[in-house]
Amino acid sequence: MFALIDCNNFYASCERVFRPDLVGKPIAVLSNNDGCVIARSDEAKELGIPMGAPAFKYDKEFKQKKINVFSSNYALYGDMSKRVMGLLETFTPDIEVYSIDEAFLKFEGYDANFDLKAYMFQIKEEVTQATGIPISIGLAPTKALAKVANTISKKFKAKTKGVHIIDTEEKRLKALKWIPIEKVWGIGRGRQKRLQEMGIKKAFDFTNLSDEWTRKNMSVVGLRLKRDLEGKPSLDLDAVIDKKNIATTRSFDYDYKDYEYIKERIVTFATSCGYKLRKQHSCCHAMLVYIKTNRHKKGELPYYGSTVVTFPYPTNSDIELAKFAEQGLQQIFKEGYSYKKAGVIVMGLTPEENTQINLFDNSDARHKPLMKTIDDLNKKIGNTKLKLASQDLKRTWKMRQERLSPRYTTQIGEVLTIKV
């Protein structure tokens, strides 16, 4: 059996853990630079605040409806996620962390008389008690059906109490006849539209398609999904694998024209990619650098510039990655434009121990112990305390976060204080 554990309104729930006065009150969480709504509590949804609502357009409505608005506090959310996932690992060794607020758990080898439903309620109680984060659980013979069961557990809270199990054919058919095709895990917008045009409205209709048509039109991935919904396990837990590409991209707090400012950001993004490469013991052979203007800004022509810089040798050195990143920026930067976003994506990843040595041009061997020393020191004294001279020594990342809550669990100076 597979269980899908989903943290309810995760970002809003994280804020409530340390602000119990917000329980039962509407909450909205904004994206980077306080741009738009990316998370809402149930109360905010009921008040009609849509996902993706631009903050500047809804500011008046936030005040009128007394909605508590927060900037994204990713340090807090990431730490709370680790705590939840760490607890889940104590219930089964087979776990796939699917996202910051979701995880699949696999239960194999349990006795036929073992009460899995009671076990699910035990998981729910212990996670909520230990972290303060409410969760919903869907349990079924396959991953796709577990996702459906989880949707039901959240939709009908009063009846399910946050746990729903699909363990009979009757429950499977009832669930598939209820859930719309657009709500099925793995059905993208393009496929959703095509299926709806064919009269496929519910997940049950999808399972009635032939295997031949599904494989021809939706590839083997679509066929596996169909079989999973039929109760035939076809999707197993994904193994943790190294990334094939690593990216660091950010929107700026304001629009910038200054080349030196953009260069500092690009170099910082490159060093961030370098750290991620070293963490998974990889090197890269190429790098994509891009910059773009604010497409929402009226009166200015839009511009998007990108280039791929191919390296003469594989590397994960911050020093060398910064050099190549600046070369890429020089190729695409245009004077007179106001830039809102930039990014660096490193590609062509290879294992660090299997890098090919060239006859004339190679990565500086002295950089490897230097980078290890920098990484070790940054872990001890604080992330990004040691930087390249071309980086801004006073800033790790500058974003507009006017409604940021304290980082209660990761910064000693922002720990919750209790007055007694």
Side-chain angles (χ1 to χ4, degrees):
M1 297 287 277
F2 292 87
L4 176 66
I5 314 293
D6 185 13
C7 300
N8 300 341
N9 303 319
F10 182 59
Y11 290 179
S13 295
C14 287
E15 300 290 352
R16 281 175 171 161
V17 169
F18 303 94
R19 289 280 308 276
D21 58 301
L22 295 177
V23 174
K25 296 180 180 179
I27 295 174
V29 179
L30 304 179
S31 62
N32 286 343
N33 296 312
D34 294 347
C36 61
V37 175
I38 58 169
R40 305 156 296 162
S41 65
D42 289 337
E43 295 82 3
K45 295 174 187 177
E46 292 172 2
L47 290 172
I49 303 300
M51 185 68 83
F56 73 95
K57 287 186 177 180
Y58 279 78
D59 191 53
K60 186 177 180 180
E61 191 168 344
F62 290 154
K63 293 174 182 176
Q64 289 178 340
K65 295 182 177 180
K66 297 182 179 179
I67 295 172
N68 299 273
V69 183
F70 291 92
S71 301
S72 296
N73 191 339
Y74 293 118
L76 174 64
Y77 307 154
D79 187 65
M80 294 301 293
S81 175
K82 288 180 183 177
R83 294 174 186 229
V84 171
M85 301 309 167
L87 278 169
L88 294 179
E89 288 176 352
T90 65
F91 291 95
T92 175
D94 299 321
I95 179 172
E96 175 195 336
V97 178
Y98 186 66
S99 67
I100 193 171
D101 61 347
E102 290 180 290
F104 284 102
L105 276 62
K106 187 177 182 180
F107 299 94
E108 276 188 315
Y110 285 81
D111 185 89
N113 296 321
F114 185 79
D115 191 346
L116 273 174
K117 185 172 184 179
Y119 198 43
M120 295 303 106
F121 277 108
Q122 180 185 342
I123 294 174
K124 185 176 186 300
E125 181 180 355
E126 291 192 18
V127 169
T128 301
Q129 185 177 24
T131 67
I133 303 295
I135 63 173
S136 297
I137 302 177
L139 185 71
T142 70
K143 286 177 73 175
L145 286 174
K147 191 79 172 177
V148 174
N150 186 276
T151 302
I152 294 172
S153 73
K154 289 187 290 186
K155 181 68 175 179
F156 305 100
K157 291 180 184 177
K159 186 175 181 180
T160 65
K161 294 180 173 57
V163 175
H164 184 67
I165 300 178
I166 297 177
D167 54 359
T168 66
E169 182 66 4
E170 181 183 0
K171 287 183 180 179
R172 183 186 75 85
L173 293 175
K174 185 177 181 180
L176 295 186
K177 289 177 181 178
W178 169 77
I179 194 164
I181 190 64
E182 64 269 20
K183 297 292 185 181
V184 174
W185 177 53
I187 299 292
R189 290 184 180 180
R191 289 175 175 173
Q192 166 197 328
K193 185 176 179 181
R194 184 178 183 185
L195 290 170
Q196 288 175 333
E197 289 173 349
M198 294 171 56
I200 308 297
K201 305 296 184 184
K202 303 288 185 179
F204 178 75
D205 303 327
F206 174 63
T207 59
N208 285 333
L209 294 171
S210 69
D211 286 356
E212 293 75 18
W213 185 95
T214 307
R215 179 164 191 148
K216 181 180 178 180
N217 293 275
M218 299 181 65
S219 78
V220 68
V221 176
L223 181 58
R224 286 173 182 164
L225 173 60
K226 175 178 176 291
R227 289 177 176 172
D228 238 45
L229 291 171
E230 291 171 340
K232 306 169 186 175
S234 302
L235 302 170
D236 206 345
L237 298 184
D238 290 339
V240 177
I241 59 175
D242 290 340
K243 297 177 181 178
K244 296 180 180 179
N245 296 315
I246 291 175
T248 300
T249 65
R250 297 285 188 275
S251 294
F252 304 144
D253 50 345
Y254 299 102
D255 298 347
Y256 289 93
K257 292 184 178 182
D258 181 51
Y259 174 80
E260 290 301 320
Y261 178 89
I262 305 296
K263 184 184 79 170
E264 191 277 333
R265 292 291 82 198
I266 288 291
V267 167
T268 297
F269 298 164
T271 60
S272 174
C273 289
Y275 173 73
K276 295 173 186 176
L277 283 168
R278 296 190 296 275
K279 193 174 181 181
Q280 72 170 41
H281 305 291
S282 297
C283 290
C284 65
H285 287 265
M287 170 190 293
L288 184 146
V289 180
Y290 80 83
I291 50 177
K292 64 189 298 185
T293 57
N294 187 349
R295 61 187 179 90
H296 299 292
K297 194 169 185 178
K298 296 180 180 179
E300 290 192 12
L301 291 174
Y303 171 67
Y304 173 83
S306 68
T307 186
V308 174
V309 182
T310 303
F311 309 160
Y313 46 79
T315 183
N316 59 17
S317 163
D318 287 353
I319 298 171
E320 292 165 343
L321 291 172
K323 178 183 70 174
F324 294 129
E326 186 175 353
Q327 290 176 7
L329 179 62
Q330 289 172 350
Q331 296 176 31
I332 60 177
F333 185 86
K334 288 186 178 182
E335 297 285 351
Y337 286 92
S338 298
Y339 296 99
K340 181 64 176 176
K341 189 173 184 179
V344 170
I345 304 172
V346 293
M347 305 175 293
L349 273 55
T350 57
E352 189 176 34
E353 66 274 12
N354 294 337
T355 54
Q356 182 69 42
I357 299 176
N358 296 327
L359 183 60
F360 300 108
D361 202 0
N362 287 290
S363 177
D364 193 327
R366 296 173 298 176
H367 290 183
K368 185 173 182 179
L370 176 61
M371 292 299 110
K372 184 180 186 307
T373 301
I374 290 175
D375 291 343
D376 290 344
L377 285 172
N378 276 332
K379 287 179 183 177
K380 290 181 180 179
I381 64 177
N383 191 27
T384 66
K385 286 291 189 296
L386 290 179
K387 302 181 180 182
L388 301 182
S390 54
Q391 293 179 261
D392 187 336
L393 301 179
K394 297 180 180 179
R395 176 178 63 220
T396 53
W397 175 244
K398 186 179 180 182
M399 284 194 301
R400 185 185 300 146
Q401 295 179 306
E402 298 172 351
R403 313 179 199 219
L404 186 65
S405 57
R407 293 163 292 181
Y408 300 102
T409 63
T410 58
Q411 291 294 321
I412 190 67
E414 299 178 20
V415 171
L416 187 68
T417 56
I418 302 175
K419 297 179 180 180
V420 294

